[in-house]
């Protein structure tokens, strides 16, 4: 049996989709040009009440969570020893690599004094008491780890078998790091909010925020694998790996059930439940979030439903939306800096966020067409 | 091969010992930081403030700050509605009903000062990843260093009083906030706002002295006459005047809030009417840092976790012949 379970998809690199994505990214660059010449205020709706907008929340907090597929699948394969998921690792790793790298780059656009960014890593400046310090350091390290974890695919592409063998022999160290670092910073992305105190609505302010963020990061990881596998299958007209995704959905539901028990239990224990029944934006968005977390039970809850790939797709999609809403809700909807402030992203902010996302998609397509990332098609192996 | 396995056995053993050590020690919850005996601050007595805004103008000139147009009459009127990156101090007014009676809620009004409270255990300092926000160990003044700042604005979002602000209008924007006129101290001067205050509503001094003065006022009978110091309470000169005592709310705001603040408030209307939030005594910084230290203190948990993960990953990737972990 060939050890090459992955293969490049092949085909043209310049397709209507990649072209469109690159155009979107160029638009984003134009907006960023204005931002760097005239300041953040020239293109964003950031204000004295809302110092953080979607560049922080969407590009970094959500963007990095969406990039947790690599972490979530690696946990299954290497920690829970479910080798059957191995074919899913590389595609998930690539998505993670792109997601995290662009989240890291995205931070630089948002930093008001970006030329000082290296202070975070410098003794004398670095302040380990700061949650943001921990997030920044762990994310930076993790980006490096992801590149190393993905490197075997690159070496394989160029036929450097020896080099690959050497690297693979030490890979367990990076796999270990690739477990610990995301656990640290995904939970800390939630901890960022603890120092905000009463400024965060009681539905989201909790000492369990790190656990809530960590569990949903894992869930988002599984959801994104479902989602991406379905989209990749549709886009490349390949068969869906239902035999893998189906049991994966079951694992996901187990984690989701545990999450919901903790999340609701925490709200009740803190006496914040009543605020969910008030008539306001926060309560409305809280219920939207909870409904999204509940819907996967309907779509992938039973064996019969799971057999239909469309349901796998929808189950993953709602779970993603739930995780995204949790992050938007706790950072923006539930952030209450006083009555006189409001924030809604500007066109410029949206263009940059969309452009970064488009770049990820284009890169994913280009790399999977040229590098051995996606699982080799069954019939291709047989032929 | 054996050496490597040995290495891992040792790593894991070390990690296990370390984990055991933390588990047996009580989780090191970080207490609130304590007030320095030499801490400097302000006492703002709303009942003495006449709303003249001399302090707003003095703050501008003492800090070399440009005009700040954020009222509708653009270009003609410099009346910032709140602190901004270019305005470190504003006087706000609470109004209710006909707004005819000073220091009363019913049809009344009252003034309040908004500037940095120089928290004893500041959220902004805990938040800042690069030590651009720092608390002076002696004076307790919370200062800002633009040369260190990366402009992440975590301090802006974290401050429970919405004090520090970022300048979004400049490509080299920076944070602006009151630093208790620390640049004037070497010349023997003190907070400009307190220096110019005609009634002593904003009073400067050592926090310990200010607290004694505040408690003295709270113990007086409303309607009696008393002397009100002005300027610098601790170092004089005596510029006090005599005036009537207002019916104070029996609370010194900032005495205990979030572990205390070095600018404190007295008022005759409830503090929430002045826009001051009701706050617990445990500082948010202590909460956040206790959690961080509990999870990451000495990197014990992460290292233990890393050891365990690496060990498991190694075992599981060994018999995984097709895997990237053991691919031939
Ligand atoms: S009031 Fe805000 S800016 Fe001032 S010390 Fe406290 S947390 Fe920092
Ligand atoms: S904006 Fe500057 S001062 Fe504020 S937290 Fe970030 S680095 Fe620190
Ligand atoms: S102490 Fe100085 S900087 Fe602070 S409000 Fe008063 S005048 Fe302004």
């Amino acid at each position: 049996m060939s050890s090459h379970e992955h293969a490049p998809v092949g085909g043209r690199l310049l397709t209507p989709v990649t072209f469109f994505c690159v155009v979107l990214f160029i638009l984003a660059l134009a907006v960023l040009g204005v931002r760097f010449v005239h300041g953040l205020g020239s293109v964003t709706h950031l204000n004295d009440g809302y110092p953080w907008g979607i560049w922080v929340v969407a590009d970094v907090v959500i963007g990095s969570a969406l990039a947790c597929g690599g972490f979530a699948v690696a946990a299954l394969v290497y920690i829970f020893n479910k080798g059957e998921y191995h074919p899913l690792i590389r595609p998930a790793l690539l998505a993670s690599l792109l997601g995290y790298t662009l989240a890291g780059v995205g931070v630089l656009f948002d930093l008001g004094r970006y030329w000082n960014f290296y202070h975070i890593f410098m003794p004398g400046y670095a302040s380990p008491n700061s949650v943001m310090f921990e997030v920044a350091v762990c994310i930076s390290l993790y980006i490096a780890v992801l590149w190393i974890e993905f490197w075997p695919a690159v070496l394989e592409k160029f036929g450097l078998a020896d080099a690959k063998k050497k690297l693979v022999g030490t890979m367990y160290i990076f796999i270990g790091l690739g477990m610990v670092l995301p656990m640290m910073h995904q939970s800390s992305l939630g901890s960022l909010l603890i120092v905000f105190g009463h400024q965060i609505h009681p539905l989201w302010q909790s000492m369990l925020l790190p656990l809530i963020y960590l569990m949903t990061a894992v869930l988002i990881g599984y959801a994104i694998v479902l989602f991406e596998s379905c989209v990749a299958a549709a886009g490349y007209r390949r068969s869906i790996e239902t035999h893998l995704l189906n049991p994966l959905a079951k694992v996901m539901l187990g984690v989701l059930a545990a999450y919901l028990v903790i999340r609701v239990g925490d709200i009740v224990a803190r006496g914040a439940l009543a605020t969910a029944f008030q008539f306001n934006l926060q309560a409305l968005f809280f219920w939207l979030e909870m409904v999204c977390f509940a819907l996967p039970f309907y779509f992938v809850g039973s064996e019969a439903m799971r057999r239909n790939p469309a349901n796998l797709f929808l189950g993953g999609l709602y779970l993603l939306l739930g995780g995204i809403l949790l992050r938007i809700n706790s950072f923006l909807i539930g952030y209450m800096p006083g009555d006189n402030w409001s924030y809604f992203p500007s066109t410029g902010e949206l263009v940059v966020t969309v452009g970064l996302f488009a770049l990820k998609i284009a890169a994913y397509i280009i790399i999977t067409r040229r590098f051995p990332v996606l699982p080799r098609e069954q019939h291709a192996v047989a032929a | 091969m054996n050496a490597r396995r040995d290495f891992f056995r040792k790593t894991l053993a070390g990690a296990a010992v370390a984990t055991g050590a933390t588990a047996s020690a009580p989780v090191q919850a970080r207490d609130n930081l304590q007030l320095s005996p030499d801490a400097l601050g302000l006492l703002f007595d709303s009942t003495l403030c006449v709303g003249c805004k001399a302090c707003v103008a003095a703050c501008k000139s003492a800090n070399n700050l440009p005009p700040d147009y954020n009222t509708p009459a653009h270009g003609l009127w410099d009346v910032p509605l709140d602190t901004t990156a270019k305005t470190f101090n504003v006087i706000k007014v609470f109004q209710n009903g006909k707004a005819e009676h000073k220091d009363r809620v019913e049809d009344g009004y009252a003034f309040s000062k908004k500037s940095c409270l120089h928290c004893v255990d500041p959220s902004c300092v805990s938040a800042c990843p690069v030590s651009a926000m720092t608390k002076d160990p002696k004076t307790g003044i919370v200062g800002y260093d633009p040369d260190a700042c990366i402009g992440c604005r975590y301090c802006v979002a974290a401050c429970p009083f919405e004090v520090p602000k970022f300048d979004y209008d400049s490509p080299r924007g920076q944070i602006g906030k009151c630093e208790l006129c620390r640049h004037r101290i070497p010349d023997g001067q003190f907070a400009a706002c307190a220096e110019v205050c005609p009634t002593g509503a904003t009073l400067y001094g050592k926090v310990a002295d200010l607290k004694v003065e505040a408690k003295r006022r709270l113990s007086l009978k409303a309607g009696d006459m008393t002397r009100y110091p002005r300027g610098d309470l601790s170092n004089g000169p005596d510029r006090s005047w005599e005036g009537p005592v207002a019916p104070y709310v029996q609370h010194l705001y900032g005495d205990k809030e979030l572990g205390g603040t070095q600018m404190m408030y007295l008022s005759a209307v409830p503090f929430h009417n002045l826009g001051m939030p009701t706050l617990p005594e445990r500082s948010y910084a202590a909460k956040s840092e206790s959690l961080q230290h509990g999870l990451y203190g000495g990197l014990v948990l992460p290292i233990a976790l890393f050891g365990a993960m690496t060990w498991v990953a190694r075992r599981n990737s060994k018999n995984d012949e097709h895997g990237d972990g053991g691919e031939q």
Side-chain angles (χ1 to χ4, degrees), chain A residues 41 51 78 116 125 130 168 172 192, chain B residues 4 127 131 149 154 168 316 324:
Chain A
Y78 296 112
N116 284 336
Y125 287 114
S130 161
V168 161
Y172 59 95
L192 277 177
Chain B
R4 202 192 277 156
S131 315
C149 173
Y154 193 14
Y168 300 94
N316 288 340
D324 284 336

Side-chain angles (χ1 to χ4, degrees), chain A residues 1-6 35-42 44 46-53 56 77-81 83 86 89-90 93 110-120 124-134 149 152 156 164-165 168-173 175-177 179-180 183-185 187-188 191-199 207 210 335-338 341, chain B residues 4 7-8 30 70 82-85 92 123-132 144-162 164-175 258 277-279 284-285 287-293 295-296 299 301-303 305-317 319-328:
Chain A
M1 169 126 189
S2 157
S3 67
H4 291 145
E5 56 179 355
H6 305 100
R35 174 256 173 273
F36 281 110
V37 176
H38 296 288
L40 280 165
S42 60
T44 71
L46 295 175
N47 56 59
D48 285 344
Y50 285 87
W52 285 354
V56 171
V77 173
Y78 296 112
I79 306 306
F80 298 103
N81 206 13
H86 201 278
I89 283 199
R90 264 197 202 169
L93 212 52
D110 187 75
L111 286 184
R113 301 175 71 77
Y114 49 88
W115 56 91
N116 284 336
F117 84 94
Y118 62 90
H119 287 171
I120 283 214
Y125 287 114
S127 169
N129 285 335
S130 161
V131 186
M132 177 160 312
F133 164 80
E134 200 260 323
E149 284 189 289
E156 192 176 307
K164 186 186 157 201
K165 201 172 152 191
V168 161
T170 58
M171 197 51 88
Y172 59 95
I173 294 175
I175 293 171
L177 281 174
M179 285 292 120
V180 177
M183 287 167 91
M184 287 172 76
H185 66 246
S187 57
S188 291
S191 313
L192 277 177
L193 297 175
I194 284 173
V195 77
F196 290 23
H198 67 276
Q199 298 184 95
M207 288 309 269
Y335 178 62
M336 302 175 301
W341 300 108
Chain B
R4 202 192 277 156
F7 166 71
F8 270 96
R30 140 130 143 53
N70 59 14
D82 208 333
T83 56
T84 71
K92 295 189 172 191
S123 301
C124 59
V125 171
S126 173
C128 182
V130 291
S131 315
Y144 168 69
D145 176 6
D147 294 330
C149 173
I150 59 172
C152 67
R153 313 183 298 284
Y154 193 14
C155 56
V156 180
C159 171
F161 306 104
E162 280 114 35
K165 301 285 161 67
F166 184 77
D167 179 9
Y168 300 94
D169 296 332
S170 154
R172 299 186 61 80
Q174 59 181 55
I175 300 284
L258 294 180
T278 308
L279 295 168
Y284 295 146
K287 267 184 135 179
S288 174
E289 291 182 24
S290 289
L291 181 80
Q292 288 299 98
H293 295 175
L295 292 173
Y296 303 115
L299 284 181
L301 273 182
I303 291 172
L305 200 60
F306 171 65
M309 291 291 168
T310 315
W311 184 75
V312 178
R314 183 165 157 72
R315 200 196 58 197
N316 288 340
S317 58
N319 37 20
D320 167 24
E321 286 304 315
H322 318 292
D324 284 336
E327 212 163 339
Q328 298 309 309

Side-chain angles (χ1 to χ4, degrees), chain A residues 145-166:
Chain A
V145 167
L146 281 167
W147 280 93
I148 296 171
E149 284 189 289
F150 187 70
W151 210 239
V154 178
L155 297 175
E156 192 176 307
K157 152 101 181 163
F158 296 109
L160 299 167
D162 278 353
K164 186 186 157 201
K165 201 172 152 191
K166 258 189 220 145

Side-chain angles (χ1 to χ4, degrees), chain B residues 28-102:
Chain B
Q28 337 131 335
R30 140 130 143 53
D31 286 332
N32 285 352
L33 299 183
Q34 297 301 311
L35 185 71
S36 149
D38 299 312
L40 298 171
L42 297 171
L43 174 64
F44 177 74
D45 188 334
S46 167
T47 70
L48 297 180
C49 178
V50 292
C52 71
K53 298 180 180 168
C55 58
V56 179
C59 178
K60 282 263 172 187
S61 72
N63 290 288
N64 265 322
L65 295 168
D68 199 359
Y69 309 109
N70 59 14
T71 31
H74 216 257
L76 265 181
W77 209 249
D78 169 17
V79 186
L81 300 179
D82 208 333
T83 56
T84 71
K86 297 167 191 159
T87 301
F88 301 167
N89 175 34
V90 289
I91 293 295
K92 295 189 172 191
V93 65
F94 154 74
Q95 295 183 28
N96 182 37
K98 297 203 198 96
E100 282 170 347
H101 308 283
K102 185 160 158 38

